[in-house]
Amino acid sequence: MKLEAFIVDNIPLIKEGDNLAEIICNNTKLEDGDIVVIASTIVAKSEGQIFRLKDITPTDKAVEIANKNRFSPAFVQAVLERSRDCLVDSPIMLVETYNGNVCINAGLDDSNIENGFILDLPKNPDVSAEYIGLHLQNLTSKKIGVVITDTNGRAFKTGQTGVAVGLYHIPAIKNWRGKNDLYGHALDITEEAIADEIAGTANLLMGEGDGGTPVVIIRGLDVLTGKKVSVKNMYRPDDKDIIKKGLRSLNQSNL
Ligand code: GDP
Ligand code: MN
Ligand code: MN
């Protein structure tokens, strides 16, 4: 078994309105079954998802949290506006975004963007992945998968890694339940987070800094599906998530 992962060269600095599918196709020749992995940063830029902190008016709640965690009240307000739940507000902000990802600062970022601006995530990254994927398929007449990535930290471990935040034609999870291990025992719980594994693989080539390399092609992995997919299939439902429950009960006892 073998897979290839390579950068698409010559991607420019992306601006609102740029057509990512066209830019990608102009700089690489896609094949049937390719997975096009794209950093959320450039998807957000192409969709105009950037803003300035000075345009945000913090609420009293944001000011109260900012007094604890020392972030600016406007930044705290921006994070709260994108979160359906704030699991930890100090010294870090760990939130569950409206798309369901539990992450630091709701994925807001002031790196790889002009001074004074904050880069948001795409509003609905699954929809963005489908939009770009359909466009890539129209341009190439090939079956293409798309993974939109972000860089997230992990609980319990230092170091960040690429994770999938939007999917097209790529299942979030590969279910091994019912399959056998080497010794003939049926596996009963293993679900492999293949979308995150693909994101992590691509992120090795993208890097985090000034590489200017936000698009990676993964070739040779037989995982494309015709079924409707969503990154939301990765997020554990609230009632089954004991870590979230624990954090919520800690918050209650702090009140
Ligand atoms: P994130 O993981 O989606 O938050 O994106 P990063 O900020 O970590 O950037 C991932 C890669 O994309 C890095 O190699 C950046 O240099 C690159 N990158 C970010 N924005 C642009 C852009 O507008 N144009 C190009 N060519 N590269 C970019
Ligand atoms: Mn990011
Ligand atoms: Mn990154």
Side-chain angles (χ1 to χ4, degrees), residues 15 50 65 68 84 86 122 152-153 164 197 204 207 217 224 239:
K15 306 176 302 302
I50 61 175
I65 293 174
K68 284 200 281 178
R84 72 159 78 112
C86 182
N152 277 186
E197 291 177 327
L204 280 171
I217 310 301
L224 263 63
D239 59 334

Side-chain angles (χ1 to χ4, degrees), residues 110-121:
D110 62 0
S111 59
N112 279 320
I113 185 78
E114 278 169 75
N115 269 343
F117 285 91
I118 302 280
L119 191 64
D120 209 339
L121 286 174

